[in-house]
Amino acid sequence: MPGDKLTEDVIGDRFGVSRTIVRTVLARLYAEGLVDMQPNKGATIAQPSLSEAQDVFETRMCLERQVIARLAEKVTEDDMESLQRHVELETKANIHDGSAAIRLAGEFHILLASLSGNKVLARYVDEVVSRSSLILALYSRPHSSDCSINEHQQIIDALRQGDGQAAIDAMDHHLKAVADRALLSSTSDKHRDIRSILDRYAS
Amino acid sequence: MPGDKLTEDVIGDRFGVSRTIVRTVLARLYAEGLVDMQPNKGATIAQPSLSEAQDVFETRMCLERQVIARLAEKVTEDDMESLQRHVELETKANIHDGSAAIRLAGEFHILLASLSGNKVLARYVDEVVSRSSLILALYSRPHSSDCSINEHQQIIDALRQGDGQAAIDAMDHHLKAVADRALLSSTSDKHRDIRSILDRYAS
DNA sequence: TGGGATTTGTTCGTATGTATT
DNA sequence: GAATACATACGAACAAATCCC
């Protein structure tokens, strides 16, 4: 969970590698915003503040709109098929395996970004999707992902019909809904909010 | 120059630090796209391909439009002053110090992004601006930056007048011009390619 | 093709800094 | 407030891969 200490020795033992390897991985995760690091105090799982979370979602929206704009102009039949297959995977996972469903929901966006063909864009989308997952873990209460799957389908449908603006609108709507589910539930749960703020300054 | 080998020992000696430090820095620069790394073959200064360069400029455009959109809504008088001061610095440097002028031209965009208040956005802008500089070094022939300064001034003017759309248009125009200067000087075929791609997504 | 020199990948020990009792 | 325990930062040295002649 966010805030947990990531001791190099412990992780190294668990994965059977030395501290050196762990250090390089932690450094990369720090660069990606998934772990916090303080000099001489080591790494913890990142605890994004509410304002950081807002920044992530705003940036994510900006990036994914560009992804959709590109795809609307160049998406192929093969692309559509692999997107459709992915959504079907999501549907199946949603029934029996909650954690797989969460993972697949994120991977849908990563798939879209990689199909866009812009590698820089794809890397940034990958990053903000990962950070979004962390934010969901921190602020959101558990909820069904049925609606997400529906929204994914709507994005695909708009792309299939070649309606770029509708696809962008569908993505906007979807990401706003995700951000709502993530951030709004926290404002109604002030205890948790205050607790996490205090945790930040306590360590 | 792009493609040059970055031997860990050599760099460590030059800066008086051990290989450990150099390795972590190289890893970070690799993550930022400024150096290439291959397993067991070490690091070189990145040599972005033309298609990678296109990806960088397209993503940069997408990010900086968001920066301007934000600023158009919340820019303060202090912000405007520091932007204006920066352009004046650019003007002075342009007369007598070419390399400082190039550096300042990039820093103008970084300043804009930091004033936007979105730290995630600002980090990504920082990255794509650095990569743009590398691309300029690789593909562009030397040229005066007078026009860049003019274009920076136009962006500021539009922001001061509270005209968000004009500011976005000015930024679009500026970045297209920068991409042109960078990529077109290699071959005129590819030039038209880039321009049409950027046109499509940016107006 | 082969062998020596160079460079990278990794481990591990030591010193420094931090938390705890 | 000091001492102990612990974690991290750094560097030296070794092993493996690569390069070059």
Coordinates of all heavy atoms in Angstrom, one line a residue, chain A residues 28 31-33 52 54-56 58-59 62-63 66 69-71 73-74 117-121 123-125 127-128 131, chain B residues 28 31-33 51-52 54-56 58-59 62-63 66 70 117-121 123-125 127-128 131 197 200-201:
Chain A
R28 N 14.4 3.8 -10.9 CA 13.6 3.9 -12.1 C 12.1 4.2 -11.7 O 11.5 5.1 -12.2 CB 13.6 2.6 -13.0 CG 13.3 2.9 -14.4 CD 13.1 1.6 -15.2 NE 11.9 0.8 -14.7 CZ 11.8 -0.5 -14.7 NH1 12.8 -1.2 -15.2 NH2 10.8 -1.1 -14.3
A31 N 11.8 7.7 -10.7 CA 11.7 8.6 -11.9 C 10.3 8.5 -12.5 O 9.8 9.5 -13.0 CB 12.7 8.2 -12.9
E32 N 9.6 7.4 -12.4 CA 8.3 7.3 -12.9 C 7.2 7.7 -12.0 O 6.0 7.6 -12.3 CB 8.0 5.8 -13.3 CG 8.9 5.3 -14.5 CD 8.7 3.8 -14.7 OE1 7.9 3.2 -14.1 OE2 9.5 3.3 -15.5
G33 N 7.6 8.1 -10.8 CA 6.6 8.7 -9.8 C 5.9 7.6 -9.0 O 4.9 7.9 -8.4
E52 N -1.4 16.4 -6.6 CA -0.6 15.6 -7.5 C -1.5 14.7 -8.4 O -1.3 14.5 -9.6 CB 0.4 14.7 -6.7 CG 1.7 14.3 -7.5 CD 2.6 13.6 -6.5 OE1 2.7 14.0 -5.4 OE2 3.3 12.6 -7.0
Q54 N -4.6 15.2 -9.1 CA -5.2 16.0 -10.2 C -4.3 16.3 -11.3 O -4.8 16.2 -12.5 CB -5.7 17.4 -9.5 CG -6.9 17.2 -8.7 CD -7.1 18.5 -7.8 OE1 -6.5 19.5 -8.0 NE2 -8.1 18.4 -6.9
D55 N -3.1 16.6 -11.0 CA -2.1 16.8 -12.1 C -2.0 15.6 -13.0 O -1.9 15.7 -14.2 CB -0.7 17.2 -11.5 CG -0.7 18.6 -10.9 OD1 -1.7 19.3 -11.0 OD2 0.4 18.9 -10.3
V56 N -1.9 14.4 -12.4 CA -1.8 13.2 -13.2 C -3.0 13.0 -14.1 O -2.8 12.8 -15.3 CB -1.6 12.0 -12.3 CG1 -1.8 10.7 -13.0 CG2 -0.3 12.0 -11.5
E58 N -5.1 15.2 -15.2 CA -5.2 16.3 -16.2 C -4.3 15.9 -17.4 O -4.6 16.0 -18.5 CB -4.9 17.6 -15.6 CG -5.0 18.7 -16.7 CD -4.5 20.1 -16.1 OE1 -4.5 20.3 -14.9 OE2 -4.0 20.9 -16.9
T59 N -3.0 15.6 -17.0 CA -2.0 15.3 -18.0 C -2.5 14.0 -18.8 O -2.3 14.0 -20.0 CB -0.7 15.0 -17.3 OG1 -0.4 16.2 -16.5 CG2 0.4 14.8 -18.4
C62 N -5.0 14.9 -21.4 CA -4.3 15.6 -22.5 C -3.6 14.6 -23.4 O -3.8 14.6 -24.7 CB -3.3 16.6 -21.9 SG -2.0 17.2 -23.0
L63 N -2.9 13.6 -22.8 CA -2.2 12.7 -23.6 C -3.1 11.7 -24.4 O -2.9 11.4 -25.6 CB -1.2 11.8 -22.7 CG -0.1 12.6 -22.1 CD1 0.6 11.8 -21.0 CD2 1.0 13.0 -23.1
Q66 N -4.8 12.9 -27.5 CA -3.9 12.9 -28.6 C -3.8 11.5 -29.2 O -3.8 11.3 -30.4 CB -2.5 13.4 -28.2 CG -1.5 13.5 -29.4 CD -1.9 14.5 -30.4 OE1 -2.6 15.4 -30.1 NE2 -1.3 14.4 -31.6
A69 N -7.0 11.0 -31.2 CA -7.0 11.8 -32.4 C -6.1 11.1 -33.5 O -6.5 11.0 -34.6 CB -6.4 13.2 -32.1
R70 N -5.0 10.6 -33.1 CA -4.1 9.8 -34.0 C -4.8 8.6 -34.5 O -4.9 8.3 -35.7 CB -2.8 9.4 -33.3 CG -1.7 10.4 -33.3 CD -0.5 9.8 -32.7 NE 0.1 8.8 -33.6 CZ 1.2 9.1 -34.4 NH1 1.7 10.3 -34.4 NH2 1.7 8.2 -35.2
L71 N -5.4 7.8 -33.6 CA -6.0 6.5 -34.0 C -7.2 6.8 -34.9 O -7.4 6.0 -35.9 CB -6.4 5.8 -32.7 CG -5.4 5.0 -32.1 CD1 -5.9 4.3 -30.8 CD2 -4.8 3.9 -33.0
E73 N -7.5 8.7 -37.2 CA -7.0 8.9 -38.6 C -6.4 7.7 -39.2 O -6.2 7.6 -40.4 CB -6.1 10.1 -38.6 CG -6.7 11.3 -38.1 CD -6.4 12.5 -39.0 OE1 -5.5 12.4 -39.8 OE2 -7.2 13.5 -38.9
K74 N -5.9 6.8 -38.4 CA -5.0 5.7 -38.9 C -5.3 4.3 -38.4 O -4.5 3.4 -38.7 CB -3.6 6.1 -38.7 CG -3.1 6.0 -37.2 CD -1.7 6.2 -37.1 CE -0.8 5.0 -37.2 NZ -1.1 4.0 -36.2
G117 N 1.1 4.4 -32.4 CA 2.3 4.4 -33.1 C 3.3 5.4 -32.7 O 4.5 5.5 -33.2
N118 N 3.0 6.3 -31.8 CA 3.9 7.3 -31.2 C 4.5 6.8 -29.9 O 3.8 6.7 -28.9 CB 3.1 8.6 -31.0 CG 4.1 9.7 -30.5 OD1 5.0 9.5 -29.8 ND2 3.8 10.9 -30.9
K119 N 5.8 6.4 -30.0 CA 6.4 5.8 -28.8 C 6.6 6.7 -27.6 O 6.5 6.2 -26.5 CB 7.8 5.2 -29.2 CG 7.7 4.2 -30.3 CD 8.7 3.0 -30.1 CE 8.6 1.9 -31.2 NZ 9.5 2.1 -32.3
V120 N 6.8 7.9 -27.9 CA 7.0 8.9 -26.8 C 5.6 9.0 -26.1 O 5.6 8.9 -24.8 CB 7.4 10.3 -27.3 CG1 7.6 11.3 -26.2 CG2 8.7 10.1 -28.1
L121 N 4.6 9.3 -26.8 CA 3.3 9.3 -26.3 C 2.9 8.0 -25.5 O 2.4 8.1 -24.4 CB 2.3 9.5 -27.4 CG 0.9 10.1 -27.2 CD1 1.0 11.4 -26.5 CD2 0.3 10.4 -28.6
R123 N 4.9 5.9 -24.0 CA 5.6 5.8 -22.8 C 5.0 6.7 -21.7 O 4.8 6.3 -20.5 CB 7.1 6.2 -22.9 CG 7.9 6.0 -21.7 CD 9.4 6.1 -21.9 NE 9.9 7.5 -22.0 CZ 9.9 8.3 -20.9 NH1 9.5 7.9 -19.7 NH2 10.4 9.5 -21.0
Y124 N 4.6 7.9 -22.1 CA 4.0 8.8 -21.1 C 2.6 8.3 -20.6 O 2.3 8.3 -19.4 CB 3.8 10.2 -21.6 CG 5.2 11.0 -21.8 CD1 5.3 12.0 -22.7 CD2 6.3 10.6 -21.0 CE1 6.5 12.7 -22.8 CE2 7.5 11.3 -21.1 CZ 7.6 12.3 -22.0 OH 8.7 13.0 -22.2
V125 N 1.9 7.7 -21.6 CA 0.6 7.2 -21.2 C 0.8 6.0 -20.2 O 0.1 5.9 -19.2 CB -0.2 6.7 -22.4 CG1 -1.4 5.8 -22.0 CG2 -0.7 7.9 -23.2
E127 N 3.1 5.6 -18.1 CA 3.4 6.2 -16.8 C 2.2 6.7 -16.1 O 2.0 6.4 -14.9 CB 4.5 7.3 -17.0 CG 5.7 7.1 -16.1 CD 6.7 8.2 -16.4 OE1 6.6 9.3 -15.8 OE2 7.6 7.9 -17.2
V128 N 1.4 7.5 -16.8 CA 0.3 8.1 -16.1 C -0.8 7.1 -15.7 O -1.5 7.2 -14.7 CB -0.4 9.3 -16.9 CG1 0.6 10.5 -16.9 CG2 -0.8 8.9 -18.2
R131 N 0.4 5.5 -12.6 CA 0.2 6.4 -11.5 C -1.2 6.5 -11.1 O -1.6 6.7 -9.9 CB 0.8 7.8 -11.8 CG 2.3 7.7 -11.9 CD 2.9 9.1 -12.3 NE 3.0 10.0 -11.1 CZ 3.7 11.1 -11.2 NH1 4.3 11.5 -12.3 NH2 3.7 11.9 -10.1
Chain B
R28 N 19.4 7.5 -15.6 CA 18.3 8.5 -15.6 C 18.2 9.2 -17.0 O 17.1 9.4 -17.5 CB 18.6 9.6 -14.6 CG 17.4 10.3 -14.1 CD 17.7 11.5 -13.3 NE 18.4 12.5 -14.0 CZ 19.3 13.4 -13.5 NH1 19.5 13.3 -12.2 NH2 19.9 14.3 -14.2
A31 N 16.4 7.0 -19.3 CA 15.0 7.0 -19.1 C 14.4 8.3 -19.7 O 13.2 8.3 -20.2 CB 14.7 7.0 -17.6
E32 N 15.2 9.3 -19.8 CA 14.6 10.6 -20.3 C 14.8 10.7 -21.8 O 14.5 11.7 -22.4 CB 15.4 11.8 -19.6 CG 15.0 12.0 -18.2 CD 15.8 13.0 -17.5 OE1 16.6 13.7 -18.2 OE2 15.7 13.2 -16.3
G33 N 15.5 9.6 -22.4 CA 15.6 9.6 -23.8 C 16.8 10.4 -24.4 O 16.9 10.6 -25.6
S51 N 11.7 9.4 -37.2 CA 10.4 9.1 -36.7 C 10.3 9.4 -35.2 O 9.2 9.9 -34.7 CB 10.0 7.7 -37.1 OG 10.2 6.8 -36.0
E52 N 11.4 9.1 -34.5 CA 11.4 9.4 -33.1 C 11.3 10.9 -32.9 O 10.6 11.4 -32.0 CB 12.7 8.9 -32.5 CG 12.7 8.7 -31.0 CD 14.0 8.1 -30.5 OE1 14.6 7.3 -31.3 OE2 14.4 8.4 -29.4
Q54 N 9.8 13.0 -34.9 CA 8.4 13.4 -35.1 C 7.6 13.1 -33.9 O 6.7 14.0 -33.5 CB 7.8 12.6 -36.3 CG 8.3 13.0 -37.6 CD 7.9 12.1 -38.7 OE1 7.0 11.3 -38.5 NE2 8.6 12.1 -39.9
D55 N 7.8 12.0 -33.3 CA 7.0 11.6 -32.1 C 7.2 12.7 -31.0 O 6.3 13.1 -30.3 CB 7.4 10.2 -31.6 CG 6.9 9.1 -32.5 OD1 6.2 9.4 -33.4 OD2 7.3 8.0 -32.2
V56 N 8.5 13.0 -30.8 CA 8.8 14.0 -29.8 C 8.1 15.3 -30.0 O 7.5 15.9 -29.1 CB 10.3 14.3 -29.7 CG1 10.6 15.5 -28.8 CG2 11.0 13.0 -29.1
E58 N 5.5 16.0 -31.9 CA 4.0 15.9 -31.8 C 3.6 15.8 -30.3 O 2.6 16.5 -29.9 CB 3.5 14.6 -32.5 CG 2.0 14.4 -32.4 CD 1.6 13.0 -32.9 OE1 2.3 12.4 -33.7 OE2 0.5 12.6 -32.5
T59 N 4.3 15.1 -29.5 CA 3.9 15.0 -28.1 C 4.2 16.3 -27.4 O 3.4 16.8 -26.6 CB 4.8 13.9 -27.4 OG1 4.6 12.7 -28.1 CG2 4.4 13.7 -26.0
C62 N 1.3 18.6 -28.1 CA 0.2 18.2 -27.3 C 0.3 18.7 -25.9 O -0.6 19.3 -25.3 CB 0.1 16.7 -27.4 SG -0.9 15.9 -26.1
L63 N 1.5 18.6 -25.3 CA 1.7 19.0 -23.9 C 1.7 20.5 -23.7 O 1.1 21.1 -22.8 CB 3.1 18.5 -23.4 CG 3.2 16.9 -23.3 CD1 4.6 16.5 -23.1 CD2 2.3 16.4 -22.1
Q66 N -1.6 22.2 -23.7 CA -2.3 22.1 -22.4 C -1.7 23.2 -21.4 O -2.4 23.8 -20.6 CB -2.1 20.7 -21.8 CG -2.8 20.5 -20.5 CD -4.3 20.5 -20.6 OE1 -4.8 20.3 -21.7 NE2 -5.0 20.7 -19.5
R70 N -4.0 26.1 -19.7 CA -4.0 26.3 -18.2 C -3.7 27.8 -17.9 O -4.4 28.4 -17.1 CB -3.0 25.4 -17.5 CG -3.6 24.0 -17.2 CD -2.5 23.3 -16.4 NE -2.4 23.8 -15.0 CZ -2.9 23.3 -14.0 NH1 -3.7 22.2 -14.1 NH2 -2.8 23.8 -12.8
G117 N 1.7 25.3 -13.1 CA 1.3 24.8 -11.8 C 1.1 23.3 -11.8 O 0.9 22.7 -10.8
N118 N 1.1 22.6 -13.0 CA 1.0 21.2 -13.0 C 2.4 20.5 -13.1 O 3.0 20.6 -14.2 CB 0.1 20.8 -14.3 CG -0.2 19.3 -14.3 OD1 0.7 18.5 -13.9 ND2 -1.3 19.0 -14.8
K119 N 2.8 19.9 -12.0 CA 4.1 19.4 -12.0 C 4.4 18.2 -12.9 O 5.5 18.1 -13.4 CB 4.4 19.0 -10.5 CG 4.4 20.1 -9.5 CD 5.5 20.0 -8.5 CE 5.5 21.2 -7.5 NZ 4.7 20.9 -6.3
V120 N 3.4 17.4 -13.1 CA 3.6 16.3 -14.0 C 3.8 16.8 -15.5 O 4.7 16.4 -16.2 CB 2.3 15.4 -14.0 CG1 2.5 14.2 -14.9 CG2 2.1 14.9 -12.6
L121 N 2.9 17.7 -15.8 CA 3.0 18.3 -17.1 C 4.4 19.0 -17.3 O 5.1 18.9 -18.3 CB 1.9 19.4 -17.3 CG 1.4 19.9 -18.6 CD1 1.1 18.7 -19.5 CD2 0.2 20.7 -18.4
R123 N 7.2 18.3 -15.8 CA 8.3 17.3 -16.0 C 8.3 16.8 -17.4 O 9.4 16.7 -18.0 CB 8.1 16.2 -15.0 CG 9.3 15.2 -15.1 CD 9.3 14.2 -13.9 NE 8.4 13.1 -14.1 CZ 8.6 12.1 -15.0 NH1 9.7 12.2 -15.8 NH2 7.8 11.2 -15.1
Y124 N 7.2 16.5 -18.0 CA 7.2 16.0 -19.3 C 7.6 17.1 -20.3 O 8.4 16.8 -21.3 CB 5.8 15.5 -19.7 CG 5.4 14.2 -19.0 CD1 4.1 13.9 -18.8 CD2 6.3 13.3 -18.5 CE1 3.7 12.7 -18.2 CE2 6.0 12.2 -17.9 CZ 4.7 11.8 -17.7 OH 4.3 10.7 -17.1
V125 N 7.2 18.3 -20.1 CA 7.7 19.4 -21.0 C 9.2 19.5 -20.9 O 9.9 19.6 -22.0 CB 7.0 20.7 -20.7 CG1 7.6 21.9 -21.4 CG2 5.5 20.6 -21.1
E127 N 11.3 17.3 -20.3 CA 11.9 16.2 -21.1 C 11.8 16.4 -22.6 O 12.8 16.2 -23.3 CB 11.2 14.9 -20.7 CG 12.1 13.8 -20.3 CD 11.3 12.6 -19.8 OE1 11.0 11.7 -20.7 OE2 11.0 12.5 -18.6
V128 N 10.7 16.7 -23.1 CA 10.6 16.9 -24.6 C 11.4 18.1 -25.1 O 11.8 18.1 -26.2 CB 9.1 16.9 -25.1 CG1 8.4 15.6 -24.8 CG2 8.3 18.0 -24.4
R131 N 14.9 16.9 -25.3 CA 15.0 16.0 -26.5 C 15.0 16.8 -27.8 O 15.6 16.5 -28.7 CB 13.9 14.9 -26.4 CG 14.1 13.9 -25.3 CD 13.0 12.9 -25.2 NE 13.2 11.8 -26.2 CZ 12.5 10.7 -26.2 NH1 11.6 10.5 -25.2 NH2 12.7 9.8 -27.1
I197 N 1.8 16.3 -40.9 CA 1.4 15.6 -39.7 C 1.0 16.6 -38.6 O 0.0 16.4 -38.0 CB 2.6 14.7 -39.3 CG1 2.7 13.5 -40.2 CG2 2.3 14.2 -37.9 CD1 3.9 12.7 -40.0
R200 N -2.2 18.5 -39.2 CA -3.4 17.7 -39.0 C -3.8 17.7 -37.6 O -5.0 17.8 -37.3 CB -3.1 16.3 -39.5 CG -4.4 15.5 -39.9 CD -4.0 14.1 -40.4 NE -2.8 14.1 -41.2 CZ -2.0 13.0 -41.3 NH1 -2.2 12.0 -40.5 NH2 -1.0 13.0 -42.1
Y201 N -2.9 17.6 -36.7 CA -3.3 17.4 -35.3 C -3.3 18.7 -34.5 O -3.7 18.7 -33.4 CB -2.3 16.5 -34.6 CG -2.4 15.1 -35.1 CD1 -1.3 14.5 -35.8 CD2 -3.5 14.3 -34.9 CE1 -1.4 13.2 -36.3 CE2 -3.6 13.1 -35.4 CZ -2.6 12.5 -36.1 OH -2.7 11.2 -36.6

